């Protein structure tokens, strides 16, 4: 069993999810490679120490530059706010480390391109954290499309709806600060549905968008004394701060291949918790998926006899379905956290075998291009081209 | 266009539904026959007069015996409480009238047999009001089974859940009086699922059951001053009466063909309004149906590739589906009331063509046999045979 | 009972639906007024004669101008292709007839305004055929919003998906001819969701859109020898014609009240038959509705205790729900056709009482303004203002 | 951090699930206690060795008697076929070990009572593996019932449907051998719904049941050369063996508290993979749950205004819901395997604190009593009493 030493930069929600997945990858997938949770890195010592304890890391550190240059580190896993992705990723690549980076890859396409160049130049394996490609239902959707079951694709329809900002007393945090996060749900959530659209349908050519901040001021967040794996926080109601990111962003898209697309992300859709729903209509069939019921895939086929045509609800838990061989018998669903297990299994397997995999920094760059074009469109009030490579 | 004069006995909820359907049958189905709403009959003159006005009958009358012997009446439609079905049906048949009767056919199998004998002897067309067989989704289920898509049937699972007695202040009515109704949800609701079971699976051989009256006393109902098409009523809270029918009845069944069945009916299932749900599992497929979404049929087929197996939700609104040719384009659903239109279209078409149709009084007799066997089983605390013809 | 004589112009799918509803309005709603199906009008004599027979009209005629000026006609009901709406409606209004007109009201806002002016000048009752406002679930949604259960509205999300053009051999028809229909799903389907958006959220201020014709040529339709109430037709595969309307149209919208909206209509969404789905998110709650399950309304309330928050599926069949008092007991759903019964009950009641009602030609005008602005936006590739009254 | 050494007896599907959960318990739950995977035990050396490698156990062994008496073992975890539960559990308890045992507890109530007595006498912590009590949605259901939100309970309705025996070529295995498994889906699946019924509603007083083996012979299973975590197996089609357990078992029940219950388990319900569905109707509300969508709980409340009554789909992923504080933000579902994490967290926490917990061997005993009474009823063809303690 080959062991690979990992340095994880970041320790909040994604820190917890990554730590879990690194622990369980070799339990489910027997690929001859095992990640070792060597060192977790964060700026606030008492919190990163707590994270190291809670999540079972051998060491903790506060200086990521030092860590990414350590000789005993094989893999750098970046789970920090977007603003620091580029700097860490380039340093890690230049130090010859394989790099995993959470999404969105960068603050903009230019940054993303520099990261891609650095990773390519260093010839390291690079992966982008769009774990939703590792949902078995999405992997099955990809297969059904590749098998021709949808025919020519006419429509992509994606929404990513959450409601954690519905309470106006929910405080600001780095996710609501444009300087650190880059954007609100646009980079956080639209990035996810753009990735699925690119994965399942293809490149996007033109976009036109809109966004809005409905709740312009929120209580100042109180400094965390404790780790939080969830999206909750305490605010100081007496101090209001400006929210500098949008609450919602939507756009229309024309795909290079001819399909039309609609995209929408919001944090103000009451009752929608993690409602990433996509639907794809083609000349021969339709697929629909909702992350809140992530073990299911809906499929309609024009090739069925008309009498029995209807949307099938496929419970994606059969041995013949992607990834499921590693998991449980039919009808025993997997959880959100296991999309990370699938993802890291693929990542470490690719490192071990010396191959590449997707989504990688190229995907991140293309994704940032779409995000950027929407942002330009919002400023110009007209359609904007994404501009290919 | 041949016209057939109808006498309707009864004028409440079923009186309204039948009147509607008689009005609309020849609009949707062009069979060369048209029912004429000649005379509506009821015991309480001011109410039956109001019904005649509201529902558009040419005449009203209070003496059904006189009416069923009128020379200008072709069809007698019985929508009275169960206690009077036999007497009216036999008189009508003996007068040479075609007879339609609401379900359950009779208070017990013995009565039902006498009705069947009278109808057969008179050679009139007789039909039983199990309108759910005329739901397009159920007719499609029948076709799929006959086409062999389910293979050998292993399981029938039926529940009919309502909640209109959940409020203990809901008053007594004839439906809660064993002398008039014969039973509670057993004859009212189990009769429906027994009919679907017999239609789709086959005859039942043995049963064992249980029932219970949870709310033993209710306010005395106040005499209606007005017609009511709904199941609402006013009660006098100061006068409590015994409820003499069960609130719920359930039974296990062994079908003659080898399948196992479970049946349950209750009026105390909160939130379930008209939740008649059946599921049939066979060696090659499964069908599921719920009356609350009566335009849909769920179908799972073992013959699909495993990768895309799943429950299809068939929206039964296509031209190729039973009855739909007479209705609307795909996706435009029909309502509860239109199951009666389909039913009467079939009935008057059969009269016009001089053929029979099902469900008829024979079905009613067999149905009453199952109901009776369950009742015996509840008394004996053991399995009872249904006893065939 | 006051009788009002109706002239129906048009006899296909809508002709059938209107005829049905006119027949049944006074059965369910006791408003002291009854429509009389006096004369049905169409250009093709053998077809309009057949329609008169099938749908039960006293007379038929081929010259609408003559009919709308007859002294015995009280109401003109326009169910023709869009191109002729204006001419008929203005003539009818000028003749002092109350006017009902199918949607979209006109080929463009300018036409619509002339119709509105004519109707106002003539002081006749005018109504626009957005029957979906008469779905009890939609009427309930309106009430819940007016009661404040949604709070400030942030998002409107509407799609209207059909698939009847998925087969490239489906022939052209007037619905695919821009000169007659004005547009494709934009005027046919987006008009419906625009109406619901205006009804439930308010006026739209700015839009940006896109559209596309995916299948540019189709077989020439064969002349109908028979009436067809459905959307089926035969084509001549040897003769291809250009399709001059779009297959799909989508747009983003900013509401005057601050909400963001997304709209999409297509006839190429496989498996979606009449999938008009809307969702509205507000500061206190969310509502969702899908026409394919039109008796249900989904509602999520922030005011519930967090522990039991969740989307309620309200089966809109209770006495306390709009329109249901006229229909059936709980759990007994109504059909598509009955939205027309509700609609005409309101229309004839308004005529009888001498009041107005909505949606009227003003709504049609405002709706056409939104449709026009989207069309301009598609041409200009940028956001366009709807321009208020 | 207190460490507790575990010996796991058994290594197939449950061996994998338990190993996973033991690994992750202290990651999610910070109770100051950590299970250590000391030794895994099985009869077939090459398979148990493979299991030790795959599942990460420090040691393996083939003689459970020796292991349960080792001084360094604190906890014995029994995941073997039912036939050996009693012997191992009693030996473990007598050796002073805390005991966890998979369900059903024993071959019959008599055995179960001996296990209970042994555990009580030894004063060890004992737990039964009904992990479904640790599904957050079920724990929430329990809370809602205890809070009085259902009122008096009238109905329990439970089915546990699977389809892994639908293929007649699926081979026999220990699960189809009465001598080893005790029974088929009765002990395997009905035991689960009986446990939920007892947990949520209370003790069962009387039962009457039926069962059936539809496919009497199956190919002989081939000896496993490899571990299998799933329910798949290869058979030798040339050698048929008798199936000695039922394929399906159903029963009616009367609860001591007055409610009526229906129970059904089958392995021949096509398309149902792990469809454990329960519904509970009370005087004030209804709850429904389906394991295939185990992160959701449906709830209907009579206490809502009638206008907005409806079944809520509660996505049980909020901080305020049971167990969720240890997991992820709202809308991020957990998987099947994590019910075992919740379960073992509770078990080791109870050991650490020196308290008891449920379900324990007493629950197993009561459960076996119900199973036994149904079996007697099938033999006697009449109702049988469960007989209390």
């Amino acid at each position: 069993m080959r062991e690979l030493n990992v340095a994880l930069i970041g320790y909040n929600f994604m820190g917890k999810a990554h730590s879990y997945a690194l622990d369980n990858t070799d339990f489910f997938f027997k690929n001859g490679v095992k990640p070792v949770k060597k060192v977790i890195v964060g700026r606030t010592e008492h919190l990163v120490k707590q994270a190291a304890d809670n999540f079972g890391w051998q060491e903790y550190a506060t200086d990521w530059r030092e860590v990414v240059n350590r000789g005993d580190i094989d893999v750098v896993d970046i789970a920090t706010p977007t603003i620091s992705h580029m700097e860490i990723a380039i340093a890690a690549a230049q130090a010859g480390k394989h790099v995993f980076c959470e999404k969105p890859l960068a603050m903009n396409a230019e940054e993303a391109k520099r990261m891609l160049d650095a990773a390519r130049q260093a010839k390291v394996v690079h992966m982008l954290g769009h774990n939703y490609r590792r949902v078995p239902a999405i992997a099955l959707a990809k297969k059904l499309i590749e098998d021709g079951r949808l025919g020519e694709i006419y429509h992509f329809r994606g929404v990513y709806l959450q409601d954690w900002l519905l309470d106006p007393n929910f405080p600001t945090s780095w996710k609501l600060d444009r300087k650190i996060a880059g954007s609100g749900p646009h980079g956080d959530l639209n990035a996810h549905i753009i990735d699925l659209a690119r994965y399942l349908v293809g490149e996007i050519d033109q976009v036109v968008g809109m966004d809005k901040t409905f709740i312009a001021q929120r209580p100042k967040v109180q400094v965390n004394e404790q780790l939080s794996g969830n999206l909750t926080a305490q605010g100081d109601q007496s101090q209001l701060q400006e929210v500098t990111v949008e609450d919602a962003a939507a756009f229309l898209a024309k795909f290079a291949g001819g399909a039309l697309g609609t995209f929408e992300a919001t944090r103000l859709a009451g009752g929608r918790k993690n409602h990433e729903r996509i639907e794809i209509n083609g000349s021969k069939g339709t697929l629909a998926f909702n992350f809140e019921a992530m073990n299911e895939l809906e499929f309609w086929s024009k090739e069925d006899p008309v009498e029995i045509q209807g949307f099938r609800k496929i419970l994606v838990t059969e041995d013949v379905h992607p990834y499921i061989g590693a998991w449980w018998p039919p009808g025993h669903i997997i959880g959100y956290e296991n999309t990370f297990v699938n993802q890291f299994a693929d990542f470490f397997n690719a490192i071990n075998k010396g191959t590449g995999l997707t989504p990688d920094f190229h995907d991140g760059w293309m994704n940032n291009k779409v995000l950027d074009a929407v942002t330009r469109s919002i400023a110009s009030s007209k359609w904007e081209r994404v501009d290919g490579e």
Side-chain angles (χ1 to χ4, degrees), chain A:
Chain A
M1 178 81 79
R2 178 177 172 197
E3 297 194 340
L4 291 168
N5 288 334
V6 181
L8 171 63
I9 326 292
Y11 51 75
N12 277 314
F13 172 24
M14 279 303 110
K16 181 178 174 185
H18 286 215
S19 298
Y20 166 84
L22 293 168
D23 270 352
N24 285 281
T25 297
D26 74 306
F27 183 91
F28 290 103
F29 294 89
K30 303 302 181 188
N31 293 323
V33 59
K34 179 183 171 61
V36 174
K37 293 190 305 180
K38 198 73 186 175
V39 54
I40 187 167
V41 186
R43 281 177 304 189
T44 311
E45 184 165 0
H46 76 279
L47 291 179
V48 73
K49 179 175 189 309
Q50 191 184 342
D53 283 350
N54 281 359
F55 305 153
W57 289 81
Q58 295 181 10
E59 308 168 29
Y60 68 87
T62 55
D63 182 348
W64 64 261
R65 285 170 208 279
E66 190 180 356
V67 169
V68 301
N69 284 293
R70 274 169 55 165
D72 62 343
I73 295 299
D74 302 299
V75 173
V76 173
D77 176 1
I78 306 169
T80 57
T82 318
I83 185 65
S84 55
H85 286 187
M86 180 178 69
E87 197 175 7
I88 302 173
I90 291 177
Q94 288 174 342
K97 313 306 185 193
H98 304 295
V99 189
F100 183 97
C101 185
E102 266 306 322
K103 36 63 56 182
L105 184 59
M107 298 292 277
N108 52 54
E110 191 194 334
E111 280 193 10
K113 183 57 165 49
R114 291 172 60 190
M115 293 165 78
L116 172 61
D117 290 344
R120 281 182 169 166
Q121 200 164 349
K123 294 192 165 56
V124 296
V125 177
H126 45 103
M127 189 179 196
L128 181 65
H130 280 300
N131 55 310
Y132 292 179
R133 291 199 190 189
R134 265 66 194 184
V135 174
I138 292 294
L140 176 61
K142 176 69 172 175
K143 179 175 185 305
L144 297 181
I145 290 171
E146 287 185 341
D147 290 350
R149 287 190 181 274
L150 254 59
E152 180 189 346
I153 290 177
Y154 297 139
H155 292 290
F156 176 89
R157 199 170 292 116
V159 294
Y160 202 142
L161 313 179
Q162 297 183 336
D163 72 355
W164 55 282
L165 291 185
L166 205 55
D167 182 351
N169 291 323
F170 191 95
T172 57
S173 74
W174 71 265
K175 284 196 166 226
L176 304 190
D177 183 342
R178 185 171 298 274
K179 286 185 197 143
I180 301 175
S183 67
H186 190 47
D188 186 21
L189 306 181
N190 274 336
H192 270 304
I193 38 181
I194 290 166
D195 185 64
L196 293 183
R198 291 185 59 256
Y199 183 51
L200 298 172
V201 180
E203 297 299 344
I204 292 169
D205 188 45
Q206 294 180 63
V207 293
V208 67
M210 64 181 174
D211 67 2
K212 183 155 182 173
T213 307
F214 289 93
I215 300 170
Q217 293 186 314
R218 291 179 174 276
K220 186 178 175 183
V221 70
Q222 293 181 324
V223 176
N224 279 339
E225 292 300 320
Q226 289 197 296
L227 274 182
S228 169
N230 288 355
L231 296 171
T232 53
Q234 296 299 316
D236 175 352
Q237 314 261 3
S238 67
Q239 286 185 274
L240 290 184
Q241 284 188 319
E242 295 300 308
V243 172
T244 54
V245 300
E246 75 285 354
D247 288 324
F251 63 99
L252 304 178
K254 298 177 185 172
F255 285 83
L260 300 182
T262 63
F263 295 73
E264 182 186 7
T266 180
R267 292 164 173 167
L268 289 177
R272 305 303 180 187
K273 301 303 170 178
N274 205 31
H275 188 95
E276 184 198 40
R277 189 183 183 286
I278 63 168
E279 177 168 327
I280 302 174
N281 309 121
S283 59
K284 292 167 63 183
T286 287
L287 287 170
F289 169 82
N290 179 353
F291 191 78
E292 288 180 351
M294 64 168 238
N295 293 274
E296 299 168 9
L297 182 68
E298 286 188 278
F299 173 51
W300 176 90
S301 177
K302 193 169 178 286
E303 293 173 333
D304 287 335
V306 173
E307 185 179 63
I308 57 166
Q309 282 178 5
F311 276 87
R312 285 171 171 88
K313 187 194 278 189
I314 304 172
L315 192 56
V316 189
T317 57
E318 301 287 323
D319 270 3
V320 300
H321 291 145
Y323 296 104
I324 298 299
W327 294 95
W328 310 109
H332 296 72
I333 65 172
I334 67 168
Y336 162 74
E337 64 282 339
N338 296 328
T339 62
F340 290 92
V341 175
N342 293 341
Q343 172 181 267
F344 281 115
D346 286 348
F347 179 55
F348 285 92
N349 191 37
I351 294 171
N352 193 38
K353 295 199 170 153
T355 61
L357 82 170
T358 60
D360 61 9
F361 286 8
H362 179 267
D363 291 292
W365 177 42
M366 298 308 288
N367 198 313
N368 268 117
K369 275 175 177 284
V370 180
L371 292 171
D372 288 0
V374 173
T375 303
R376 288 198 308 276
S377 159
I378 291 169
S380 70
S381 291
K382 60 184 180 60
W383 285 85
E384 297 281 347
R385 293 206 161 270
V386 171
D387 294 330
E389 297 190 39

